[in-house]
Amino acid sequence: MSTTVPTELATAPASAPQRRARPPRGADRARAESRTKTTMYVVGGVLASLVFLVPLLWSVLRSFQSNDAIVSTTPTWSALTQFSFENFTALFTGDAQIARAVGNSLVVSIATALLTAFLATLAGYGFGRFGFRGRNVLFGLVVVTMMVPFQAIITPLYLQMNAMGLTDSRLGLVLFYSTVNLPFGVFVMRNAFESIPAEIEDSAHVDGAGTMRTLTSVLRPMLVPGIATSALYAFLASWTEFLGALTFLTDDRKYTLPLSLVNLQSGAYGSVNFGYLVAGAVVAMIPCVILYVALQRFYVAGLASGAVKG
């Protein structure tokens, strides 16, 4: 008995090699587009960083050079290798009184940040958690005050503070800066409270926690981004503010850093030394950079919360 094998099976190889399945062309195209977008994002990020970093690095470089090297009309490459701490030493030991101005600015800015964050947290808790008649109208008035520049009401503010004996005083300046920055802080903190589920607070009340205990122990970890945003915004605004300090301060021993830098620029302490001026600008820049880098993640989270819930 014989079996007949079909011709096709007889001529087929014993084991045909398995071909590897090729990915569809759509997948290759998607990967190529992803790589292109990543490259564009990296290039754009580097260019944007250079726009901000190059002037800062150039200012830091110039702050270590002498005034003659800075104002020279024919700069040489050798000037870029001559560095010294002469400018910073002269600022803090000479007649410019920069050390005292830095101390005044630190006291005023830190006190403003703490007071603004404290008051904004309490006000935001009231607007976000307590239901009372006219709450939305009152909060709308608070938001509207953010649109009014304090320069428009600087004269009545000065008259009021002068009547209260708060002019030419660091305390008066702290109260003035806190009043100006408080609406933004209230706006951020109210949105921060509304982004927290009310069930968390209800559970704390069931467990016997009072209002202050709930606020300080239960809600505080979730409010850190909003508090940091309010404090950082108030600090930066008061650290670089000039017109208010110029209006309310007359004693040069209480001058803040912006006023002292203007005196350097206008030559109030003698001829204008651009080395001192650039070094003073670098000194003014250091706390802002340190605080922003340290609180950046909280600051971004706080602003994002306000954008979503506003």
Side-chain angles (χ1 to χ4, degrees):
M1 181 177 179
S2 63
T3 58
T4 305
V5 180
T7 307
E8 293 81 359
L9 295 179
T11 57
S15 60
Q18 298 180 356
R19 295 183 179 180
R20 181 177 301 177
R22 296 182 60 184
R25 295 182 179 180
D28 295 337
R29 186 179 305 171
R31 283 195 295 268
E33 292 180 355
S34 177
R35 286 194 296 266
T36 303
K37 291 180 180 179
T38 302
T39 303
M40 293 177 62
Y41 289 152
V42 171
V43 173
V46 170
L47 293 178
S49 301
L50 290 177
V51 171
F52 293 97
L53 289 178
V54 169
L56 298 180
L57 295 178
W58 184 253
S59 299
V60 173
L61 178 66
R62 283 299 196 181
S63 65
F64 291 100
Q65 296 179 355
S66 64
N67 181 63
D68 296 335
I70 294 176
V71 301
S72 177
T73 57
T74 57
T76 58
W77 289 105
S78 60
L80 298 177
T81 60
Q82 299 174 1
F83 301 104
S84 67
F85 290 91
E86 178 184 356
N87 296 329
F88 295 96
T89 303
L91 283 180
F92 287 95
T93 59
D95 298 332
Q97 301 179 355
I98 290 295
R100 180 183 299 170
V102 170
N104 292 334
S105 291
L106 285 176
V107 170
V108 171
S109 301
I110 293 175
T112 300
L114 295 177
L115 182 60
T116 302
F118 176 74
L119 296 178
T121 301
L122 297 182
Y125 184 68
F127 281 118
R129 284 293 185 261
F130 298 145
F132 54 89
R133 182 176 299 177
R135 180 184 65 171
N136 294 332
V137 175
L138 186 58
F139 180 74
L141 293 177
V142 173
V143 175
V144 167
T145 58
M146 296 171 55
M147 307 176 189
V148 180
F150 77 90
Q151 292 86 349
I153 56 175
I154 193 70
T155 299
L157 283 176
Y158 177 82
L159 295 176
Q160 183 65 33
M161 293 184 63
N162 187 40
M164 299 172 60
L166 293 175
T167 55
D168 203 17
S169 168
R170 285 185 288 266
L171 175 60
L173 201 59
V174 169
L175 295 177
F176 167 69
Y177 287 152
S178 300
T179 302
V180 172
N181 295 301
L182 191 57
F184 177 80
V186 173
F187 173 76
V188 172
M189 292 309 301
R190 185 252 194 178
N191 294 332
F193 277 106
E194 288 196 344
S195 65
I196 299 175
E199 290 77 8
I200 297 177
E201 190 174 356
D202 295 338
S203 300
H205 289 320
V206 170
D207 293 337
T211 301
M212 293 304 299
R213 182 64 181 274
T214 302
L215 182 61
T216 56
S217 300
V218 179
L219 301 180
R220 178 180 51 82
M222 293 174 282
L223 296 174
V224 170
I227 296 175
T229 300
S230 303
L232 181 60
Y233 181 85
F235 180 91
L236 296 179
S238 56
W239 177 264
T240 58
E241 203 279 327
F242 171 75
L243 182 59
L246 179 64
T247 303
F248 296 111
L249 297 178
T250 57
D251 188 356
D252 58 355
R253 294 175 300 178
K254 300 177 182 179
Y255 277 1
T256 56
L257 187 56
L259 294 181
S260 296
L261 292 180
V262 170
N263 286 334
L264 287 176
Q265 185 177 1
S266 60
Y269 299 113
S271 59
V272 179
N273 190 308
F274 290 96
Y276 296 172
L277 185 60
V278 177
V282 171
V283 171
M285 179 178 60
I286 292 175
C288 300
V289 174
I290 293 176
L291 278 179
Y292 184 78
V293 172
L295 302 177
Q296 180 184 12
R297 60 191 183 98
F298 300 116
Y299 184 73
V300 173
L303 289 182
S305 174
V308 173
K309 300 295 293 184

